[in-house]
Amino acid sequence: MNSIQTDKKKIRLLFVCLGNICRSPAAEGIMKRIVDKNELQDIIEVDSAGTSGWHEGDLPDERMRVHGDARGYDFSSKARKFRKTDFDQFDYIIVMDDDNYNNVKSLASSSEQVKKIRMMTEFLVQNAHHKYIPDPYYGDSSGFELVLDLLEDANEGLLQAIKKKYSL
Ligand code: 4NP
């Protein structure tokens, strides 16, 4: 790593869902792998949070870990609650559904902060007809597979959008 890269401002991404144990930790793990594959780990940082603090400190849901493992991912981040200071720390706050959007937006204190909130589905390429990432918590294994399919697609699209915007 040279000094120019060290000094460069990092691009910080925060994925947000309700519990931070299914969708957003999976989005975080998938994006981390894409970032590594593209050798952008010195430039792009990734984290996740939940609008609720119900599962604070927990590992991702066992079912999501098993489904992720089958695709070669290791989802192992600990759940935390979204906080107002995240608006200052992150460049993109990427939510999974409309409830997440409204909950995060209710904590914003400026239009600049609101502009940081983006729907994950905005970045879908192959599955652009989906308007939200469905909560798999109360469903069966097909819901977890669908979430992973959508998150892989959207994260590839998100990386392309970031590369274009920041000329990476
Ligand atoms: P997530 O899924 O928002 O994708 O992490 C959920 C996790 C837990 C609950 C709901 C959704 N819950 O009701 O505890």
Side-chain angles (χ1 to χ4, degrees), residues 12 14-17 51 82-84 86-88 90-123 158:
R12 296 191 165 88
L14 182 68
F15 295 103
V16 178
C17 62
T51 56
F82 179 84
R83 38 187 181 254
K84 273 173 86 76
D86 286 324
F87 281 114
D88 304 319
F90 292 92
D91 302 294
Y92 287 77
I93 295 167
I94 303 158
V95 299
M96 302 296 144
D97 61 29
D98 290 340
D99 284 346
N100 305 153
Y101 185 92
N102 291 328
N103 284 324
V104 170
K105 190 178 173 206
S106 72
L107 297 172
S109 47
S110 69
S111 57
E112 279 68 35
Q113 291 189 346
V114 173
K115 274 191 229 149
K116 290 186 176 185
I117 313 169
R118 308 286 291 269
M119 287 289 276
M120 187 64 168
T121 47
E122 272 182 56
F123 303 102
L158 173 59

Side-chain angles (χ1 to χ4, degrees), residues 16-25 49-52 54-55 61 63-64 96-97 100 133-138 144 147:
V16 178
C17 62
L18 172 61
N20 193 209
I21 55 167
C22 293
R23 294 166 291 175
S24 62
T51 56
S52 79
W54 300 336
H55 297 277
D61 185 285
R63 296 163 295 172
M64 186 50 96
M96 302 296 144
D97 61 29
N100 305 153
I133 308 294
D135 181 350
Y137 191 70
Y138 292 106
F144 287 85
V147 166

